[in-house]
Amino acid sequence: MARFNYLEPHSLDEALRMLADGGDGVRLVAGSTDFLIRWRTGFWRPDAVVCMQHVPGLDAISFNDADGLSLGAMATVQAIEQHDVIRQRYPALAAGATAFAGVQVRNLATIGGNACNASPAGDTLPALLAYDAQCRIVGPAGERWLPLTEFFQGPGRTALQPGEILTELRLPPPPPRTGGLYIKHSPRGAMDISAIGAAAVVSLADDGACRRVSIALGAVAPVPMRANAAEGRLIGQQPTAANIAEAARIAAQSTNPISDVRSGAGYRRDMVQVLTQRTLQHAVATAAGGPAPFGELRRLALQTAI
Amino acid sequence: MKQPLQLQINGESRQMLVEPFYSLLDCLRDEAQLTGAKKGCDEGDCGACTVLMDGQPVTSCLVLAHSAHHADITTIEGLASVAALSPVQRAFVEHGGLQCGFCIPGLIMSATGFLQSNPNPTEEDVRFAIGGNLCRCTGYARVVEAIMAAAAEMRAAQ
Ligand SMILES: Cc1cc2nc3c(=O)[nH]c(=O)nc-3n(C[C@H](O)[C@H](O)[C@H](O)COP(=O)(O)OP(=O)(O)OC[C@H]3O[C@@H](n4cnc5c(N)ncnc54)[C@H](O)[C@@H]3O)c2cc1C
């Protein structure tokens, strides 16, 4: 078994220094849920890890009407799932968090780790994309902001440069009359990886037409993706059953799925249409009256194949 | 090289020398000699290694031991007093919520952590809370029954 040393920074500056000094030999770890698995299988073999667990302040979650939601990169998936404002204002994200693994993993896994691991199937990622998340990245050259859509570069690959740390995800405040949902579709109801994930967020105008639409999909392309053409089909239109069905059909066409142990490519594409339609319908239905009670959201968020 | 690690385990402060790459599970089993938490899959899937870290259930195979330093850890060994089982442990015995027993320390730790945050759950809540614990014997029905009974008993004792 490969060994590694343990480094523990107590400030962001110290962490940046440790990453710079260690170069290729060190790996940052957050909740370590992906890291320890990949280390045990020999896929990652660092000389040392830089553990972010004791850098203060990186797990903060806050919301205000001007700036929206700020998620510290070290916020756990469980903290997000339990957060009342997120359940109220960002229900698709609460759905992604509740459909994620089991509580023991959610208590460890961080939102930043989910983004940086860049799995096409990451369960929080479609909702983050759908709410237009921006990434705050800090590195040797200072700080920069990047839209999450530009963050993912391929399976397991991100726009992070060597020595950079994702410190925060910022989600703008959703306009009034906005609804949303994420559905994770997987063979098992717990502890499974998504075969397909779909998120939709819809904001309605006063006349009932769709003012803003975002559709984001997981596990159907090399990276979690926005379905821009499908969104465009609905924006400015009334959310009729026919318009929603047409947008869902366009969303399915825009995917580029693979066949693997969880699904065939054809099944994935067909299910994108079904799940996009369901998430859009739910988003529209809850846009005016506010999100479904959490128990119902939890039931909707996890839809199994068996 | 082993490094010093301080953990609060089952109410006792423990100083240990632990390898930097050890998981919390390895640390508990090999250094603290607490073998109640089980190494089932070592991949976070089975939940047999569940312990409470600062009151929250975690799969200890996914925690870097040193990242937990100064944390408050409760293992299955910390639940029973000399005189009596904990309410959750007692309910598992009384309702036959176990067969081979391998997964039970993890299930009981998940249930214990869960009932602390949700003392009045529905059966659906219970099933959701133990979604990260695999049991290949019981079929879960009696496990769920036991946790519901423990919840009722703990509420009555309040
Ligand atoms: C049993 C099990 C079940 C799982 N179930 C699910 C599931 O249902 N849905 C799902 O989406 N995922 C699931 N996962 C995967 C994993 O839990 C998530 O991807 C998690 O969010 C990773 O976060 P972490 O904090 O544990 O990351 P770590 O393992 O600590 O890090 C992961 C990677 O990201 C990098 N990284 C982490 N944080 C930062 C940062 N702030 N800046 C720069 N780089 C960073 C690390 O260097 C590493 O390369 C599961 C994993 C396990 C073991």
Side-chain angles (χ1 to χ4, degrees):
Chain A
M1 182 173 53
R3 299 164 162 252
F4 56 80
N5 284 323
Y6 174 83
L7 302 174
E8 188 180 276
H10 289 263
S11 71
L12 197 54
D13 281 345
E14 202 184 352
L16 289 168
R17 224 163 26 241
M18 287 172 171
L19 290 175
D21 292 348
D24 285 349
V26 298
R27 180 172 290 274
L28 180 152
V29 301
S32 74
T33 61
D34 280 315
F35 169 73
L36 279 174
I37 304 295
R38 295 200 162 198
W39 170 69
R40 282 184 196 132
T41 55
F43 189 75
W44 284 341
R45 313 184 61 147
D47 301 323
V49 298
V50 175
C51 172
M52 298 301 286
Q53 221 48 267
H54 298 271
V55 177
L58 286 183
D59 61 352
I61 300 177
S62 66
F63 175 83
N64 66 62
D65 286 319
D67 302 323
L69 182 66
S70 161
L71 302 170
M74 292 295 290
T76 64
V77 174
Q78 180 71 0
I80 288 166
E81 191 236 27
Q82 294 281 317
H83 202 278
D84 281 334
V85 175
I86 296 176
R87 289 181 180 188
Q88 283 301 314
R89 305 290 297 267
Y90 300 87
L93 181 59
T98 201
F100 190 112
V103 64
Q104 302 103 305
V105 177
R106 287 198 296 278
N107 275 324
L108 298 169
T110 66
I111 189 87
N114 206 217
C116 293
N117 200 52
S119 161
D123 279 310
T124 68
L125 308 180
L128 290 175
L129 284 174
Y131 288 116
D132 294 323
Q134 296 278 331
C135 307
R136 178 166 174 254
I137 296 169
V138 176
E143 176 190 311
R144 64 189 177 112
W145 285 88
L146 192 71
L148 188 64
T149 43
E150 291 167 32
F151 186 75
F152 303 119
Q153 310 261 304
R157 287 193 301 115
T158 69
L160 286 178
Q161 297 299 308
E164 284 190 324
I165 300 175
L166 174 68
T167 57
E168 181 187 344
L169 291 153
R170 187 76 68 84
L171 283 57
R177 291 171 49 99
T178 297
L181 179 65
Y182 170 75
I183 300 177
K184 169 178 184 164
H185 183 63
S186 61
R188 285 189 75 231
M191 300 302 295
D192 206 350
I193 293 173
S194 290
I196 303 110
V201 176
V202 178
S203 310
L204 298 180
D206 289 339
D207 65 356
C210 299
R211 188 173 133 201
R212 268 191 80 255
V213 177
S214 32
I215 299 169
L217 304 168
V220 291
V223 293
M225 57 171 277
R226 284 278 290 261
N228 299 112
E231 296 169 359
R233 174 63 182 75
L234 266 184
I235 292 170
Q237 305 294 312
Q238 290 293 326
T240 60
N243 284 338
I244 286 176
E246 180 60 11
R249 199 185 57 75
I250 297 170
Q253 277 173 358
S254 69
T255 64
N256 184 17
I258 57 166
S259 293
D260 66 9
V261 57
R262 285 187 182 76
S263 296
Y267 179 78
R268 278 199 161 94
R269 199 174 278 117
D270 288 349
M271 283 309 291
V272 165
Q273 184 168 345
V274 174
L275 297 175
T276 302
Q277 194 162 330
R278 284 183 197 162
T279 50
L280 282 170
Q281 275 162 351
H282 182 88
V284 168
T286 53
F294 188 69
E296 193 185 327
L297 191 71
R298 188 170 73 187
R299 242 171 270 137
L300 290 170
L302 245 175
Q303 302 196 2
T304 55
I306 40 174
Chain B
M1 200 178 60
K2 289 190 179 183
Q3 294 170 12
L5 170 62
Q6 192 263 329
L7 291 174
Q8 189 81 10
I9 307 178
N10 299 331
E12 228 177 281
S13 173
R14 300 278 295 255
Q15 295 283 345
M16 291 166 284
L17 282 174
V18 178
E19 293 285 5
F21 51 85
Y22 259 36
S23 66
L24 178 61
L25 176 63
D26 288 335
C27 168
L28 290 169
R29 293 180 60 87
D30 298 354
E31 302 293 344
Q33 323 291 269
L34 293 168
T35 54
K38 298 290 181 260
K39 188 181 272 194
C41 66
D42 217 21
E43 295 186 354
D45 283 316
C46 77
C49 67
T50 302
V51 301
L52 302 185
M53 186 160 80
D54 296 326
Q56 305 301 319
V58 297
T59 30
S60 59
C61 75
L62 295 179
V63 178
L64 270 174
H66 283 277
S67 78
H69 78 93
H70 303 315
D72 191 355
I73 308 293
T74 307
T75 71
I76 189 76
E77 288 91 342
L79 291 189
S81 65
V82 179
L85 296 175
S86 78
V88 177
Q89 289 176 311
R90 205 162 46 241
F92 270 68
V93 174
E94 283 168 3
H95 291 263
L98 72 168
Q99 289 181 33
C100 90
F102 193 82
C103 69
I104 296 301
L107 267 168
I108 288 183
M109 295 318 293
S110 286
T112 302
F114 169 64
L115 293 180
Q116 272 160 17
S117 60
N118 188 348
N120 195 7
T122 65
E123 193 179 309
E124 188 184 348
D125 294 334
V126 170
R127 287 187 178 272
F128 186 72
I130 60 169
N133 291 86
L134 275 184
C135 171
R136 300 288 78 164
C137 306
T138 63
Y140 304 103
R142 292 182 172 214
V143 168
V144 174
E145 230 174 76
I147 298 171
M148 291 299 284
E153 195 196 315
M154 288 161 76
R155 285 196 306 274
Q158 283 284 298

